[in-house]
Amino acid sequence: MPQLQCVWDIRAELGEGPVWSVREQVLYFVDIAGQAIHRLHPASGARASWPTPLRPGFVTPVSDGTLLCGLKDGLYSLDPTGGEFRREVAVEPGLPGNRINDGCVDSKGRLWFGTMDDGESVPSGALYSVTRRAGGLDVRHHDEGYVVTNGPGISPDGRRLYHNHSPAGIIYVFDLADDGSLSNRRVFARVGDGYPDGVVVDSAGTLWVGVWNGGRIARFLPDGTALPAIPVPGALNVTKVAFGGPDLRTAYVTTARRNTPPDRLARMPQAGSLFSLRVDVPGQAPVAFPATEFDALHGMTLGRD
């Protein structure tokens, strides 16, 4: 069984959303409750952090070297050199009790993200996609009825999208068309002994799913068959995996201290930290969100952030 090591003893309250930048050879991730974005350069060990004005759900590289961040009430751009945030578009302004949660970019440069009820009780969350258009961002609503959304994740052929309804323990799969439309939502797998959190799909199509309150990474083959889970002894709440490194064979794992009983924290002092392990099958090449309409039209971001 692969052995995990702690690569940043940051002890985040709610570590989430790891994503690898090919351009920078760094890993970004967020601390939702701690209202911060973090960056690790594994080769040198250099670290950087940016406080966020609102709780961040995800961060993703943009093709011009900036970042696009899903904060509580909308999508914001961030220039890491200056640390300044600018709101690009509001999301669900009529639902102040909601917030943006997890997100990812597919092979065509589309951003996918979900929203959720911040109180984790009302099924007010939804699934959205975002494309770059002349004059700004085009946000498209796809599905709804979620209390807590997590994922999304995309299959290597770009034809399937996976998305979690975490409190129900359900991983859904949709058919994803070339034009970005979704259809045929169905149950892909169910997770017990914990709740499915963030999803990432490797280059072979295997799903890696962080298990909240489960202390492990669940894994599923493309046909839904469960593979042996990977224990994460350092944390009860495992949130998400991202593949990085020059060969995309280092799996980085975010975790959270939040909602860990005090007796468990005493035995898991590094809960909330960033862990890693080496894997045999690489992840998919990360894709940056396009900075301009020209990038979006000509596919200049594909695997090249």
Side-chain angles (χ1 to χ4, degrees), residues 5 20 44 78 83 102 126 146 154 160 231 237 244 265 268 275 303:
Q5 61 175 337
W20 182 254
S44 67
L78 166 64
D102 206 358
Y146 297 88
I154 312 293
R160 302 174 111 195
N237 296 317
L265 274 179
M268 299 175 170
F275 298 86

Side-chain angles (χ1 to χ4, degrees), residues 75-98:
L75 302 177
Y76 288 70
S77 61
L78 166 64
D79 181 354
T81 60
E84 299 172 354
F85 290 84
R86 184 181 73 250
R87 192 167 74 176
E88 300 285 346
V89 63
V91 174
E92 297 182 340
L95 294 172
N98 274 14

Side-chain angles (χ1 to χ4, degrees), residues 157-304:
D157 63 6
R159 296 179 180 277
R160 302 174 111 195
L161 180 141
Y162 302 93
H163 193 228
N164 293 347
H165 189 185
S166 295
I170 295 173
I171 303 172
Y172 288 114
V173 60
F174 298 79
D175 294 329
L176 173 57
D178 287 342
D179 66 358
S181 59
L182 297 179
S183 62
N184 192 25
R185 188 184 85 170
R186 63 237 184 238
V187 174
F188 172 76
R190 296 181 184 271
V191 174
D193 189 20
Y195 305 94
D197 205 307
V199 175
V200 69
V201 186
D202 68 22
S203 59
T206 299
L207 275 70
W208 296 59
V209 186
V211 183
W212 183 271
N213 199 39
R216 68 189 190 279
I217 302 163
R219 297 182 298 159
F220 297 92
L221 292 175
D223 65 1
T225 301
L227 295 173
I230 298 175
V232 181
L236 175 64
N237 296 317
V238 181
T239 55
K240 194 170 184 177
V241 174
F243 296 98
D247 59 0
L248 299 176
R249 290 183 53 225
T250 299
Y252 292 96
V253 185
T254 50
T255 64
R257 297 177 72 81
R258 184 180 181 182
N259 293 353
T260 303
D263 62 320
R264 297 292 291 271
L265 274 179
R267 302 195 302 271
M268 299 175 170
Q270 292 180 317
S273 296
L274 179 68
F275 298 86
S276 75
L277 70 155
R278 292 291 289 169
V279 297
D280 294 329
V281 177
Q284 299 183 60
V287 176
F289 188 73
T292 67
E293 186 185 18
F294 179 85
D295 287 356
L297 289 173
H298 294 273
M300 294 178 65
T301 65
L302 301 191
R304 302 285 192 273

Side-chain angles (χ1 to χ4, degrees), residues 91-106:
V91 174
E92 297 182 340
L95 294 172
N98 274 14
R99 69 169 174 85
I100 290 176
N101 202 32
D102 206 358
C104 75
V105 176
D106 70 17

Side-chain angles (χ1 to χ4, degrees), residues 52-118:
T52 61
L54 298 167
R55 277 170 291 176
F58 70 84
V59 60
T60 193
V62 179
S63 59
D64 63 358
T66 63
L67 301 171
L68 186 64
C69 313
L71 303 188
K72 182 184 185 298
D73 65 354
L75 302 177
Y76 288 70
S77 61
L78 166 64
D79 181 354
T81 60
E84 299 172 354
F85 290 84
R86 184 181 73 250
R87 192 167 74 176
E88 300 285 346
V89 63
V91 174
E92 297 182 340
L95 294 172
N98 274 14
R99 69 169 174 85
I100 290 176
N101 202 32
D102 206 358
C104 75
V105 176
D106 70 17
S107 62
K108 295 184 181 297
R110 283 182 298 247
L111 169 66
W112 297 87
F113 71 90
T115 60
M116 58 172 279
D117 171 37
D118 216 3

